[in-house]
Amino acid sequence: MEHKFRCDCPITSAIDIIGDKWSLVIIKQMLTENKKTFKDFIESEEAIATNILSSRLKMLEEFKIIIKGKLPENKKTNIYTLTEKGIELTPLIVELIIWSDNNLREFHSDLYAGEQIEMIRGNKEQFIENIIENYKKKTGYNNVYN
C-alpha cells in the first residue's frame, strides 16, 4: 500500500502517522497498561470509538509499528504487539508526560501526579529502560517482531 505524506519534513511525516488523537494513546496503553486485544482498548478509560480504533490499529500495522497475531489459547482473538519501531516511541511518550506535567497542571488539576512522575524526574533514561524491559517481559517480545 502506498502512503501519502504531506511533505518531506521528518516531523510532519511522523505526525502524519502518530499525530492523530489516538495513535500515541494506543501505543501508551500497550507499553504501560498491557493492552493487547481490541476488547482491552475498547474497555479503557479513554473511550475510543470502535471504528476509530479499527482504523488506527490497521494504520499502525501498515506502518509496522504494531503487528497483529492470535492468542495461542483463542485463535479467534487478535492480539496486537509493538514492533521495535513502536517500542522506539517510548522516549517520546515519556517526554510528553514530562511536558504535560510541567505545562498542563494549571489547566487540568486532576492530572496524574504519582510516583511515576518522580521516577521520571529522578532518572528519565532508567525509567524508559524499565518501561521497555517490562513490556518485553510481559509480551514475551523477541526479535521476531522486527
Side-chain angles (χ1 to χ4, degrees), residues 87 90-92 94-95 98 116-134:
I87 291 170
T90 305
L92 176 66
V94 170
E95 289 297 337
I98 294 167
Q116 281 188 327
I117 300 293
E118 295 309 314
M119 288 171 60
I120 292 169
R121 292 193 185 287
N123 190 337
K124 178 173 55 177
E125 290 75 21
Q126 184 63 52
F127 184 81
I128 291 168
E129 189 177 309
N130 289 346
I131 287 176
I132 293 170
E133 281 181 28
N134 288 337

Side-chain angles (χ1 to χ4, degrees), residues 98-112:
I98 294 167
W99 182 88
S100 183
D101 187 56
N102 288 340
N103 296 287
L104 298 182
R105 193 159 302 284
E106 70 180 289
F107 306 105
H108 186 4
S109 60
D110 293 333
L111 196 63
Y112 176 80

